[in-house]
Amino acid sequence: MDTFDFIIVGGGASGCLLASRLAHSLPHLITLLIDAGGHNSDESLKSFGERHTTLTAPGYNWGYKTVPQAQLNDREIDYSRGKGLGGSTAINFCVYTRGPEADYEHWADVVGDEVWRWKEVQKRFNKVCWDLN
């Protein structure tokens, strides 16, 4: 098949979620999810005790570094970014953070859209968490 209705580039957490939602809500359309990395399905990585190995593994980490930092004696700083399905979530122990309530309230005020209110955003966060279970 070489025709797709949706092409999602990047199999990070957001790309995978978007592809999944499209495929389930519009099953009559064809969704393609592509990523430059692999499946990240190595059994040893399913143990949280072994996941630290992904931080330095070329197959799981793009190995980005910053430009030399003058304020740090020209050292380069690691900028780990995940490679493969799961993206950076695959190498950061599946951790994500939510911003503080005040940020969401401020954004809702700035854009004049109630959907950004903390109570509304919480519903979406909870849906993602439930989907993972």
Side-chain angles (χ1 to χ4, degrees), residues 6-132:
F6 299 100
I7 299 174
I8 310 300
V9 179
S14 297
C16 288
L17 180 64
L18 179 58
S20 173
R21 292 276 163 79
L22 285 169
H24 285 95
S25 63
L26 302 168
H28 60 287
L29 298 177
I30 305 299
T31 301
L32 172 67
L33 173 66
I34 58 175
D35 192 274
H39 291 274
N40 289 347
S41 58
D42 184 334
E43 285 295 319
S44 69
L45 299 178
K46 294 181 181 177
S47 164
F48 282 114
E50 298 298 321
R51 290 186 67 91
H52 68 280
T53 61
T54 62
L55 291 173
T56 57
Y60 299 101
N61 189 335
W62 286 102
Y64 296 139
K65 304 279 185 202
T66 64
V67 297
Q69 303 294 303
Q71 301 84 355
L72 298 172
N73 295 324
D74 288 328
R75 286 181 287 178
E76 297 176 344
I77 306 301
D78 178 67
Y79 188 65
S80 293
R81 307 306 303 157
K83 184 178 185 181
L85 290 180
S88 294
T89 303
I91 65 170
N92 73 0
F93 308 99
C94 298
V95 173
Y96 79 99
T97 59
R98 300 176 186 182
E101 179 178 347
D103 284 355
Y104 294 94
E105 294 299 321
H106 175 71
W107 297 332
D109 291 338
V110 169
V111 299
D113 190 342
E114 295 299 305
V115 78
W116 286 102
R117 295 271 174 226
W118 177 250
K119 284 176 64 174
E120 295 302 315
V121 174
Q122 283 292 98
K123 293 175 191 174
R124 287 170 181 78
F125 283 138
N126 290 338
K127 183 167 179 37
V128 169
C129 291
W130 284 111
D131 283 353
L132 295 175

